[in-house]
């Protein structure tokens, strides 16, 4: 059981207002991802929930009880740090067992739980090693093992994959998602990578400068971003924004067009453009073009497209996929 | 950068300094060994003659030798314990964000820059003097009898002085080590339910083991040869109460003008220092390998 609710949570460091006030509901068993650019306060918010920072104001409710003034260990949460924070002088076994030992569990219980966690995470052969003798992915697993054995109300992850190489990151992403399906425990996961957010989350919380910009399912954010910031942050490559005459045609200040929602033609279309760089990936082609009168845009065409530098093309956005924004960057709803 | 020719060049380039250093060490050592087999007394010049191991027999069977050996080990051991324990505690304190931390750090480090003779004089005349010292004044104002440190507890007095001198070194090394402790590790332990005491014993102390090893090894080298503090305050007395090996060699050489005997004592001291060094490296040196 791990339903978490934040009520008007505020955090200031001296005069620096890092979290001006966050309200958020996290349901039991949900996989929630906090995503936002670097320095937007994701880690701070997570550490407030963990109890590693004191809230300046507001309530943190875990299963209905306010824990804002409780010690971290009393909150029944487990955390996986970006640096893994393994205890370097202890074996893998003792690293995983440490929390249980502190809780005063018997040797037999500790052994059973540690062996069990090791089995889930494929660490059985490494239990007697020190963290220094493990690869990055294995250290990551030990950190997760340490979190699992305490049987927490919720797991907290702070950018756990950012120290791994690209291939391993994809693997661990799947493993963590699999772990969530198996354990069905609430997970809060912090990342600056919108791909991780989109692929793993049940619910994404987009943060900017300590404020919640939007909360929703991945596809909700993709299809109906509440504002320009969310629209630009979710989706890769980034959404194109066009103002001026083109926006006036749609009766708004600015329109947003995703690169994948533009048809490319060499004969006719809405917007004339010149190809500057074409990135051929086989399954798709990214065209970085210069739209006449509007400047640079990115277009994503499926499959192989025989285009290159200086080629003249025409772009036609899908009309019902166009996002409209007012002068403050707030979404106006589709046509 | 380590091709065969660059290695060779390196060797040739560093050879002069290595040879100079080697001579610097081997000539005095060789002469000392040679003298230790001679009857060589400055009071009877020109009478030097080969006496074999006689000097060693005299030095090693002298009751003063065993007394000073015991004093040396007691002095080294006590100062090590005091400085390491005190260094860890002070280091922990100075690592906290307390008011006036910068000034406090400076004050704690300061004794290390005071030369041993001055240190000894300050303690002897200003602090431990039975009549005009500050300790006597404190004891008297609390209604106690003042202690005449250098006659009632002379070795303790020396240990206190030397510890005061070496505490800053320990604090400096241990504080640096404490500052390199990953904050995440402490926080992970906190999440795991460890209180401050558990964090200290399970996280902080193991992290400090290397630094403690360094402190112990380096301090031992210097503490085996403590001399100035003894010379200035007690002169090795009363009796032999504060005579360590270094001081015994000095009394042999300069008070009895017995160069042969002093040389034998010096060689014995070298051998003892090596025994202690090997013992220490065996015992705790593995901490340095990680
Ligand atoms: N202990 C601290 N003292 C002062 N400022 C802090 C502290 N921790 C974080 N900050 C500031 O709070 C802001 C948010 O930091 P953080 O939560 O780490 O961002 P994120 O994890 O999203 O990259 C940053 O501007 C950072 O400089
Ligand atoms: Mg962060």
């Amino acid at each position: 059981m791990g339903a978490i609710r934040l009520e008007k949570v505020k955090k200031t460091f001296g005069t620096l207002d890092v979290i001006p006030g966050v309200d958020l509901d996290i349901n039991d068993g949900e996989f929630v991802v906090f995503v936002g650019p670097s320095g937007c306060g994701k880690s701070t918010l997570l550490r407030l929930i963990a109890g590693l920072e004191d809230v300046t104001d507001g309530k943190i409710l875990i299963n209905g009880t306010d824990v804002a003034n409780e010690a971290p260990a009393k909150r029944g949460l487990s955390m996986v740090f970006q640096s893994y924070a393994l205890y370097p002088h202890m074996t893998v076994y003792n690293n995983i067992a440490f929390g249980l030992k502190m809780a005063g569990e018997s040797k037999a219980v500790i052994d059973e739980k540690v062996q069990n966690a090791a089995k889930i995470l494929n660490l059985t052969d490494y239990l007697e090693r020190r963290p220094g003798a493990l690869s990055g992915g294995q250290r990551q697993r030990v950190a997760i093992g340490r979190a699992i054995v305490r049987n927490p109300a919720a797991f907290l992850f702070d950018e756990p994959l950012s120290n791994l190489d690209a291939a391993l990151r994809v693997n661990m992403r799947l493993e963590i998602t699999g772990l969530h399906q198996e354990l069905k425990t609430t997970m809060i996961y912090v990342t600056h990578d919108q791909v991780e957010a989109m692929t793993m989350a049940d619910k994404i919380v987009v943060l900017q400068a300590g404020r919640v910009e939007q909360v929703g399912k991945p596809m909700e954010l993709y299809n109906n971003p509440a504002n320009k910031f969310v629209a630009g942050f979710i989706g890769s490559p980034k959404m194109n924004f066009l103002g001026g005459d083109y926006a006036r045609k749609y009766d708004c200040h600015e329109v947003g067009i995703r690169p994948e929602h533009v048809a490319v033609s060499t004969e006719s279309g809405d917007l004339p453009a010149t190809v500057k760089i074409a990135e051929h990936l086989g399954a798709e082609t990214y065209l970085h073009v210069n739209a006449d009168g509007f400047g640079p845009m990115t277009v994503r065409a499926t499959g192989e497209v025989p285009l290159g530098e200086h080629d003249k093309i025409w772009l036609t956005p899908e009309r019902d996929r166009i996002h409209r924004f007012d002068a403050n960057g707030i979404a106006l709803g589709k046509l | 950068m380590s091709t065969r020719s660059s290695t060779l060049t390196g060797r040739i380039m560093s050879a002069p300094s290595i040879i100079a250093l080697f001579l610097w060490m081997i000539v005095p050592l060789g002469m000392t060994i040679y003298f230790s087999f001679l009857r060589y007394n400055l009071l009877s010049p020109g009478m030097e003659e080969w006496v074999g191991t006689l000097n060693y027999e005299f030095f090693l069977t002298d009751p003063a030798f065993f007394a000073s050996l015991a004093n040396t080990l007691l002095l080294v051991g006590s100062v090590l314990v005091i400085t390491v324990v005190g260094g860890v505690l002070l280091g922990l304190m100075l690592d906290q964000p307390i008011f006036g931390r910068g000034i406090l750090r400076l004050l704690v480090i300061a004794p290390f820059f005071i030369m041993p003779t001055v240190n000894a004089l300050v303690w002897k005349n200003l602090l431990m003097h039975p009549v005009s010292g500050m300790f006597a004044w404190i004891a008297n104002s609390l209604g106690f009898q003042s202690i005449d440190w250098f006659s009632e507890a002379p070795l303790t007095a020396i240990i206190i002085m030397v510890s005061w001198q070496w505490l800053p070194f320990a604090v400096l090394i241990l504080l640096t080590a404490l500052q390199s402790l990953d904050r995440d590790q402490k926080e992970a332990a906190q999440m795991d339910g460890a209180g401050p005491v558990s964090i200290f014993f399970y996280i902080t102390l193991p992290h400090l083991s290397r630094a403690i090893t360094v402190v112990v090894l380096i301090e031992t080298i210097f503490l085996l040869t403590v001399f100035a503090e003894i010379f200035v305050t007690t002169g090795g007395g009363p009796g032999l109460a504060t005579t360590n090996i270094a001081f015994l060699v000095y009394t042999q050489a300069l008070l009895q003008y017995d160069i042969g005997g002093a040389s034998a004592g010096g060689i014995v001291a070298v051998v003892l220092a090596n025994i202690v060094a090997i013992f220490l490296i065996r015992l705790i040196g593995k901490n340095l390998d990680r």
Side-chain angles (χ1 to χ4, degrees):
Chain A
M1 255 297 274
I4 299 174
R5 189 183 161 87
L6 308 185
E7 288 180 7
K8 299 200 174 52
V9 169
K10 287 190 181 61
K11 179 67 187 176
T12 54
F13 288 112
T15 55
L16 187 66
D17 199 0
V18 178
I19 310 277
V22 164
D23 291 281
L24 189 65
D25 259 312
I26 295 166
N27 300 324
D28 183 32
E30 227 171 7
F31 196 122
V32 177
V33 175
F34 293 173
V35 68
S38 203
C40 71
K42 309 177 295 286
S43 297
T44 305
L45 194 55
L46 195 73
R47 292 165 58 80
L48 287 171
I49 297 172
L52 295 172
E53 301 279 358
D54 293 321
V55 293
T56 306
D57 197 16
K59 284 185 183 168
I60 297 171
L61 302 155
I62 299 180
N63 295 326
T65 346
D66 184 12
V67 296
N69 295 314
E70 292 274 17
K74 294 271 162 56
R75 303 187 181 191
L77 307 173
S78 283
M79 182 144 165
V80 175
F81 292 80
Q82 179 173 355
S83 64
Y84 315 139
L86 300 180
Y87 311 127
H89 50 273
M90 294 186 200
T91 60
V92 169
Y93 185 99
N94 287 332
N95 262 282
I96 299 177
F98 188 68
L100 299 170
K101 197 167 154 188
M102 289 297 112
E105 299 277 9
S106 75
K107 274 216 161 66
V109 173
I110 292 179
D111 193 56
E112 190 197 321
K113 289 190 178 176
V114 172
Q115 297 293 353
N116 196 24
K119 209 161 68 203
I120 295 177
L121 296 163
N122 280 327
L123 285 170
T124 311
D125 294 341
Y126 306 102
L127 283 176
E128 291 313 314
R129 289 211 198 164
R130 297 271 172 96
L134 298 179
S135 71
Q138 290 165 339
R139 286 182 208 182
Q140 179 68 75
R141 287 208 191 86
V142 177
I144 295 175
R146 195 167 64 180
I148 289 180
V149 287
R150 297 185 51 232
N151 201 7
F155 290 96
L156 312 177
F157 294 89
D158 191 355
E159 311 225 11
L161 306 186
S162 51
N163 288 343
L164 302 178
D165 64 55
L168 205 51
R169 206 177 303 164
V170 174
N171 271 340
M172 285 306 295
R173 209 164 76 196
L174 290 170
E175 274 188 42
I176 293 176
T177 313
L179 195 68
H180 178 245
Q181 284 169 353
E182 196 172 322
L183 300 174
K184 299 187 172 58
T185 311
T186 312
M187 292 188 178
I188 305 179
Y189 185 105
V190 162
T191 179
H192 64 270
D193 180 355
Q194 61 93 25
V195 176
E196 280 176 28
M198 292 297 279
T199 51
M200 302 173 87
D202 293 326
K203 182 154 93 185
I204 296 179
V205 178
V206 184
L207 293 166
Q208 189 200 191
R211 279 189 314 276
V212 175
E213 294 288 343
Q214 192 173 0
V215 179
K217 292 200 175 76
M219 288 326 283
E220 278 172 20
L221 301 195
Y222 178 82
N223 289 322
N224 298 306
N227 52 45
K228 212 181 132 186
F229 176 79
V230 176
F233 197 81
I234 300 290
S236 167
K238 256 175 76 117
M239 187 184 275
N240 301 293
F241 294 103
L242 302 181
D245 288 343
Y246 198 79
R248 225 161 288 137
K249 216 162 69 180
Y250 290 92
D251 195 22
C252 62
H253 180 74
E254 230 172 354
V255 296
I257 306 164
R258 293 200 185 276
E260 54 271 40
H261 298 148
V262 179
V264 179
S265 159
T266 47
E267 281 135 32
S268 64
D270 247 11
L271 285 163
T274 316
V275 177
K276 296 185 73 182
I277 296 171
E279 296 176 314
H280 300 280
L281 301 178
E284 57 202 9
T285 307
Y286 295 149
L287 299 171
H288 301 275
V289 306
N290 209 0
D292 297 357
F294 294 104
M297 279 181 74
T298 311
V299 176
R300 175 184 185 174
T302 43
E304 290 175 50
V305 181
L307 289 170
E309 206 187 344
H310 304 313
D311 284 343
K312 280 273 175 208
I313 56 170
W314 275 268
L315 309 174
T316 314
E318 291 175 34
R319 198 178 149 75
D320 56 350
R321 292 281 210 170
I322 284 178
H323 302 268
R324 304 185 310 139
F325 301 97
D326 70 11
N328 297 321
I330 307 295
L332 288 171
K334 302 258 180 73
L335 285 172
Chain B
M1 274 303 284
S2 68
T3 60
R4 206 169 301 155
S5 79
S6 72
T7 316
L8 184 65
T9 317
R11 291 214 177 122
I12 293 171
M13 301 298 269
S14 54
S17 55
I18 290 175
I19 291 171
L21 271 176
F22 182 72
L23 290 177
W24 190 264
M25 182 212 53
I26 202 69
V27 171
L29 184 65
M31 284 174 71
T32 311
I33 292 175
Y34 173 62
F35 289 159
S36 71
F37 291 108
L38 295 183
R39 183 203 315 274
Y40 184 0
N41 196 303
L42 294 178
L43 293 180
S44 40
M47 304 268 290
E48 293 87 44
E49 60 172 330
W50 186 264
V51 293
T53 57
L54 195 63
N55 283 325
Y56 288 95
E57 279 166 40
F58 268 109
F59 191 82
L60 290 173
T61 52
D62 188 349
F65 169 70
F66 291 103
S68 56
L69 181 62
N71 286 339
T72 305
L73 295 180
L74 205 60
L75 177 64
V76 173
S78 311
V79 174
L80 282 180
V81 170
I82 293 171
T83 51
V84 168
V85 173
V88 170
L89 295 178
L90 274 172
L92 282 175
M93 188 183 84
L94 293 176
D95 196 30
Q96 306 297 319
I98 47 173
F99 176 74
R101 181 165 66 170
I103 303 253
L104 219 53
R105 281 187 185 170
L106 195 68
L107 287 177
V108 169
I109 308 302
F112 201 48
F113 297 106
I114 297 174
M115 54 186 98
T117 38
V118 176
N119 169 22
L121 284 172
V122 168
W123 279 88
K124 182 185 180 184
N125 296 326
L126 297 182
L127 294 170
M128 288 176 165
H129 195 279
V131 179
S132 57
M134 190 161 93
F135 293 164
W137 177 77
I138 292 174
N140 287 335
S141 20
L142 293 176
F144 294 107
Q145 194 78 49
S146 63
I147 304 170
D148 183 0
W149 285 91
F150 294 107
S151 57
E152 284 170 49
L155 191 59
T156 312
I158 302 279
I159 288 171
I160 292 173
M161 280 165 23
V162 177
S163 298
W164 184 79
Q165 178 104 47
W166 279 95
L167 190 58
F169 174 74
V171 172
L172 210 59
I173 303 275
L174 294 171
L175 179 61
T176 323
L178 277 173
Q179 286 170 335
S180 74
L181 177 55
D182 195 5
R183 184 185 70 161
D184 283 357
Q185 263 180 51
K186 273 191 264 185
E187 290 181 345
Q190 232 179 317
M191 297 288 296
D192 270 342
V197 177
S198 296
I199 290 183
F200 175 75
F201 282 107
Y202 286 105
I203 311 294
T204 314
L205 211 50
H207 174 78
L208 288 181
S209 64
R210 270 175 89 147
I212 290 176
T213 308
V214 169
V215 169
V216 168
L217 287 178
I218 293 182
E219 282 196 9
T220 303
I221 294 169
F222 287 95
L223 293 176
L224 281 170
T225 60
V226 167
F227 179 78
E229 288 86 346
I230 298 171
F231 182 74
V232 171
T233 55
T234 62
L240 292 168
T242 54
T243 299
N244 65 356
I245 300 270
F247 200 83
L248 184 67
V249 172
Y250 160 77
T251 42
Q252 290 275 334
L254 285 173
L255 301 185
Q256 298 169 22
Y257 303 99
D258 180 3
I259 301 297
S263 298
I267 297 300
V268 170
V270 169
V271 172
L272 279 176
N274 277 292
I275 291 174
V276 172
I278 290 169
F279 178 71
L280 276 179
I281 298 265
R282 278 281 162 82
L283 197 67
I284 56 177
K286 63 179 188 309
N287 281 339
L288 295 176
D289 290 340
R290 277 184 290 120

